[in-house]
Amino acid sequence: MNRVFLIRHAESDSNIGTVLEHQNSIKITPAGKKQAEELAEILEKPDKIICSRYIRTIETAEPLINKFSDAEINLWVDTHEFQPINPERYQNITTEERDSLHRKYWQNIDPLYNDGGEAESFKDFTIRVNLAILKMKQLQGLNYIFTHGHFIRCVITLLSYFKDYNSLDKTTDLYLKIMEKFEETYLSGELKIKNTEIFELTELLKGY
């Protein structure tokens, strides 16, 4: 049986309020390393271990990679975290200041808005997540994908509420509906995702 699991990265510097510069420079904390080690102890031997391009997912997967050195290791660049804000605006600001930027972004609720630089619009993010889902449907055996909170939320939003996404007209209104549902589960805390939390997608993927 083919099985797919998404796993959020362990506690990172950004989770505890450390000053940020760029998403890819964020590493896991000492507590996060302990979480990663504990995670490796409980997971079964996988056929494939997949990480995003951000270092905190690779560090989280490292104990599992070391434990099962014969598992296939892949880097999927389309599973990295959503970047709604231009990373240049993150330089030398606190988590509180970063959160203020994100609150303004979500208040605007515009799926086409792009903040510039390496930022992406919510529409582009959704397209990227959909491509990753289609790749997940082709996986064989037991697969662990180490990724990020917003990425997991968007995957579950599409699989749970927009199963016919690939047959729909890709209008701005469609992306607005997806963004509103995503925001609803995110801001309400309905889909609160803890560090190293595991989500099995096996059944959800079958209906997509």
Side-chain angles (χ1 to χ4, degrees), residues 38-203:
E38 292 173 346
L39 182 67
E41 292 177 2
I42 65 171
L43 293 177
E44 301 175 46
K45 181 179 179 180
D47 294 284
K48 185 173 290 187
I49 300 171
I50 300 166
C51 299
S52 82
R53 64 187 175 92
Y54 288 159
I55 192 171
R56 56 194 183 275
T57 65
I58 299 171
E59 289 182 328
T60 304
E62 188 173 10
L64 188 68
I65 292 171
N66 292 337
K67 182 178 179 181
F68 299 114
S69 57
D70 55 341
E72 183 180 342
I73 314 300
N74 284 171
L75 187 72
W76 281 12
V77 296
D78 47 11
T79 60
H80 66 83
E81 184 60 301
F82 181 35
Q83 182 67 71
I85 306 299
N86 184 346
E88 293 181 4
R89 300 176 67 189
Y90 280 158
Q91 295 197 11
N92 299 317
I93 68 172
T94 64
T95 297
E96 182 179 345
E97 292 169 325
R98 179 199 64 182
D99 289 347
S100 176
L101 292 176
H102 281 266
R103 281 194 297 272
K104 291 178 181 177
Y105 171 83
W106 289 110
Q107 288 169 358
N108 193 34
I109 200 72
D110 179 358
L112 304 184
Y113 173 76
N114 188 303
D115 201 49
E118 294 181 37
E120 61 185 336
S121 69
F122 189 86
K123 174 183 176 180
D124 289 339
F125 173 52
T126 303
I127 292 171
R128 170 164 68 83
V129 170
N130 177 63
L131 291 174
I133 291 174
L134 296 179
K135 287 168 63 177
M136 292 176 203
K137 287 176 65 68
Q138 301 304 313
L139 289 171
Q140 302 295 313
L142 176 58
N143 307 272
Y144 297 129
I145 302 175
F146 289 83
T147 183
H148 308 265
H150 280 335
F151 180 88
I152 294 172
R153 286 187 188 93
C154 193
V155 167
I156 294 176
T157 297
L158 289 179
L159 294 181
S160 300
Y161 302 101
F162 300 91
K163 295 180 180 181
D164 53 352
Y165 170 84
N166 286 291
S167 64
L168 297 174
D169 292 334
K170 304 305 185 289
T171 62
T172 299
D173 185 58
L174 171 63
Y175 290 107
L176 179 59
K177 290 178 180 177
I178 296 171
M179 189 175 188
E180 287 174 339
K181 176 56 70 172
F182 178 99
E183 182 193 32
E184 176 186 323
T185 59
Y186 169 45
L187 297 182
S188 70
E190 177 183 332
L191 191 55
K192 187 174 183 180
I193 302 173
K194 300 176 183 178
N195 294 115
T196 67
E197 190 164 358
I198 304 168
F199 294 83
E200 182 167 6
L201 301 183
T202 305
E203 293 302 318

